[in-house]
């Protein structure tokens, strides 16, 4: 078949001009020729390989389930640092109380952000920003990826912004954490539209996290929800990267209190904010398409992958981690049990039942076959059909007549699929 697909330029001609038959390739060389053709077709150049999109990471790569490092050297370093970290934790708890009071007492201004940012650096929370000149103060909606429960606090140290707390009623904890209090999730979008449409000066932009759940910030982004992109037709994205020594930046099932304590325990946590150009909605572009385009841009700037995973996938992943899937007992009973009785006593009982039917068969032969099959019916069938070789034992005349009369009865019961040992007992 491959010869019929050969190019005309490769045909050999005889002296009369008639194409001669191409020399046949030995069968042993056919795999080599096919391998060479496959190598010529595959994209061997780095540019062609780079065009292939990388596989999207799964939830196990987007969320860390363990706080402590798995590397032995880092774990040893953490143990040696633990006394110092505990002292820093106690000291920073008192300093953090002063930071909270200062942030509540001072009005929102450049001076307040500078003072609080300096005090947060003492607490080990370092905020840095790149390309701050790209910040457009006319844009009222800021879009960022989500890494820790304190991302909005760090961005608020760099620029004035407000972030609503989703799925939580207004409370003192909501206000103390720096979130904007909203009444109900049903009215969230309409309330945010009214907030952005207000003419108060200076305008306060909204900082929204379309992922709605925090990731480890290393592998990829969750799917961006469309509701943040229905507020206004222009948004300004920013990227957020968090670095922390010794331990993981965030854990999937940890509370914000434990994340705060670990932030005060480690030497420092660096938040790197990078501003991107504002993005306008294209004519006729839906909210889903707008969100997808912004997600891909943010993922590209971070060197990550934009996935289609949602917070529901994260919840399912956490559920599987808490409760590893174990095969239920009913499912185990539906599968055939492995051959062999469960105990020596049961093996002896089954062997005696077979011995009553076939008294001329040695007991050790019966036990050996029962250990393999685990079934009286199969063992009797193997012995009667000669599948198991044995030397018959000497029995009395009455026992022989009993075994001779019992053998046809056993075969008839076996064809009906009933337990022969039970039938003989009856």
């Amino acid at each position: 078949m491959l010869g019929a697909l050969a190019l005309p330029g490769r045909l050999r001609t005889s002296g009369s001009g008639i194409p001669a038959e191409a020399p046949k390739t030995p069968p042993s060389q056919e795999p080599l020729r096919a391998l060479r053709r496959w190598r010529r077709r595959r994209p061997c150049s780095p540019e062609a390989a780079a065009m292939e999109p990388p596989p999207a990471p799964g939830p196990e790569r987007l969320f860390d389930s363990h706080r402590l490092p798995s590397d032995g050297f880092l774990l040893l370093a953490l143990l040696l640092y633990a006394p110092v970290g505990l002292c820093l934790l106690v000291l920073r708890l008192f300093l953090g109380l002063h930071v909270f009071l200062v942030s509540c007492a001072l009005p929102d201004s450049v001076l307040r952000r500078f003072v609080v940012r300096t005090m947060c650096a003492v607490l080990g929370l370092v905020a840095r920003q790149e390309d701050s000149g790209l910040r457009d103060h006319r844009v009222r909606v800021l879009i960022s990826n989500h890494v820790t429960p304190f991302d909005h606090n760090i961005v608020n140290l760099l620029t004035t912004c407000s972030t609503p707390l989703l799925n939580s009623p207004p409370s003192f904890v909501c206000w103390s954490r720096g979130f904007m209090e909203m009444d109900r999730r049903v009215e969230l979008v309409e309330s945010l539209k009214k907030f952005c449409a207000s003419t108060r000066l200076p305008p306060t932009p909204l900082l929204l996290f379309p992922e709605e759940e925090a990731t480890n910030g290393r592998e990829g982004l969750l799917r961006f929800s469309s509701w943040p992109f229905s507020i206004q037709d222009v948004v300004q994205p920013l990227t957020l990267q968090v670095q922390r020594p010794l331990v993981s930046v965030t854990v999937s099932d940890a509370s914000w209190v434990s994340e705060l304590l670990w932030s005060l325990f480690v030497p420092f946590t660096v938040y790197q904010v990078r501003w991107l150009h504002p993005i306008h909605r294209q004519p006729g572009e839906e909210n889903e398409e707008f969100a997808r385009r912004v997600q891909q841009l943010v993922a590209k700037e971070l060197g990550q992958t934009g996935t289609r995973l949602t917070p529901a996938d994260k919840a399912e992943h956490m559920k599987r981690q808490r409760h590893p899937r174990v095969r239920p007992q009913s499912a185990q009973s539906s599968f055939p049990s492995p051959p062999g009785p469960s105990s020596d006593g049961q093996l002896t009982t089954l062997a005696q039942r077979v011995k009553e039917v076939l008294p001329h068969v040695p007991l050790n032969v019966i036990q050996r076959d029962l250990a393999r099959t685990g079934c009286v019916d199969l063992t009797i069938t193997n012995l009667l059909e000669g599948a198991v070789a044995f030397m018959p034992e000497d029995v009395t005349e009455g026992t022989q007549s009993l075994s001779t009369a019992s053998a046809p009865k056993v075969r008839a019961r076996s064809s009906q699929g009933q337990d022969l040992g039970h039938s003989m007992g009856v």
Side-chain angles (χ1 to χ4, degrees):
M1 183 179 294
L2 293 178
L5 300 178
L7 296 177
R10 299 186 60 183
L11 292 177
R12 295 185 178 182
T13 58
S14 60
S16 59
I18 302 175
E21 184 179 359
K24 296 184 178 179
T25 304
S28 60
Q29 297 183 7
E30 283 295 336
L32 296 178
R33 293 172 60 87
L35 180 61
R36 294 191 188 100
R37 288 193 298 269
W38 176 76
R39 286 179 176 176
R40 285 195 296 267
R41 294 193 192 103
R42 63 178 298 191
C44 299
S45 61
E47 294 80 3
M51 294 177 61
E52 299 180 0
E60 66 279 355
R61 295 172 55 187
L62 264 64
F63 310 106
D64 292 339
S65 57
H66 301 285
R67 178 80 62 179
L68 302 181
S70 57
D71 184 74
F73 177 77
L74 292 179
L75 188 58
L76 178 61
L78 179 61
L79 293 177
L80 296 177
Y81 170 77
V84 180
L86 291 176
C87 295
L88 282 177
L89 174 61
V90 175
L91 180 61
R92 286 172 173 176
L93 283 175
F94 288 99
L95 294 178
L97 179 60
H98 291 79
V99 174
F100 175 73
L101 296 177
V102 169
S103 61
C104 295
L106 295 179
D108 187 14
S109 60
V110 178
L111 177 62
R112 174 183 177 272
R113 289 195 294 272
F114 174 78
V115 173
V116 176
R117 182 178 176 181
T118 304
M119 298 181 70
C120 286
V122 178
L123 298 180
L125 304 176
V126 182
R128 298 177 179 176
Q129 63 176 337
E130 295 181 3
D131 300 332
S132 58
L134 298 179
R135 171 72 177 98
D136 191 347
H137 295 277
R138 297 171 299 178
V139 179
R140 304 295 298 273
V141 178
L142 307 179
I143 299 296
S144 173
N145 59 305
H146 202 7
V147 183
T148 70
F150 314 107
D151 296 342
H152 64 288
N153 301 108
I154 297 301
V155 178
N156 198 18
L157 297 178
L158 305 176
T159 184
T160 303
C161 60
S162 298
T163 302
L165 180 60
L166 306 180
N167 301 323
S168 179
S171 62
F172 173 77
V173 177
C174 174
W175 170 81
S176 61
R177 292 181 59 190
F179 286 105
M180 183 174 61
E181 300 184 46
M182 305 297 296
D183 293 335
R184 290 179 296 178
R185 176 66 182 271
V186 179
E187 303 174 353
L188 176 62
V189 176
E190 295 299 328
S191 300
L192 295 181
K193 287 183 178 180
K194 294 179 181 179
F195 179 83
C196 293
S198 62
T199 57
R200 62 178 182 176
L201 295 176
T204 302
L206 287 173
L207 174 62
L208 303 178
F209 301 98
E211 295 178 284
E212 298 184 1
E213 289 289 344
T215 64
N216 56 22
R218 297 192 308 268
E219 298 292 339
L221 303 179
L222 294 178
R223 174 180 174 270
F224 277 16
S225 299
S226 60
W227 66 264
F229 301 89
S230 63
I231 300 175
Q232 285 198 338
D233 293 337
V234 55
V235 299
Q236 181 163 19
L238 58 97
T239 61
L240 184 63
Q241 293 178 302
V242 185
Q243 296 178 352
R244 175 183 296 172
L246 300 179
V247 296
S248 300
V249 172
T250 183
V251 178
S252 56
D253 58 346
S255 63
W256 69 271
V257 177
S258 62
E259 294 289 351
L260 176 61
L261 295 179
W262 278 104
S263 299
L264 301 179
F265 173 82
V266 297
F268 56 85
T269 303
V270 179
Y271 290 80
Q272 188 73 38
V273 177
R274 182 181 180 185
W275 297 94
L276 305 180
H277 291 280
I279 301 179
H280 296 261
R281 183 194 303 270
Q282 297 178 355
E285 189 175 30
E286 299 292 337
N287 296 331
E288 289 285 348
E289 300 174 353
F290 194 15
R292 180 67 174 173
R293 185 159 59 94
V294 176
Q295 182 205 32
Q296 295 300 324
L297 176 62
V298 174
K300 181 180 178 181
E301 293 294 332
L302 290 171
Q304 301 177 11
T305 305
T307 69
R308 306 299 293 173
L309 299 176
T310 63
D313 297 315
K314 177 183 178 181
E316 182 65 23
H317 174 67
M318 294 170 56
K319 182 179 179 181
R320 289 196 301 266
Q321 286 184 333
R322 295 194 192 100
H323 309 286
R325 181 174 298 178
V326 180
R327 189 171 63 178
Q329 189 68 22
S330 59
Q332 293 181 359
S333 61
S334 62
F335 293 94
S337 58
S342 58
S343 62
D344 294 338
Q346 185 179 2
L347 178 63
T348 304
T349 302
L350 297 180
Q352 290 295 336
R353 294 169 62 182
V354 178
K355 186 69 174 177
E356 294 175 1
V357 179
L358 303 174
H360 62 284
V361 180
L363 187 61
N364 59 342
V365 176
I366 297 175
Q367 292 178 345
R368 185 167 57 251
D369 193 71
L370 278 174
R372 183 178 61 86
T373 63
C375 179
V376 175
D377 188 10
L378 292 179
T379 298
I380 293 177
T381 303
N382 293 338
L383 294 173
L384 293 177
E385 294 179 353
V388 179
F390 63 92
M391 183 66 66
E393 293 181 342
D394 294 334
V395 293
T396 61
E397 182 178 356
T399 307
Q400 290 178 349
S401 61
L402 176 62
S403 62
T404 304
S406 302
K409 185 177 181 180
V410 169
R411 293 177 183 172
R413 297 281 182 172
S414 301
S415 63
Q416 298 176 3
Q418 298 180 354
D419 189 354
L420 293 181
H422 178 69
S423 65
M424 294 303 300
V426 175

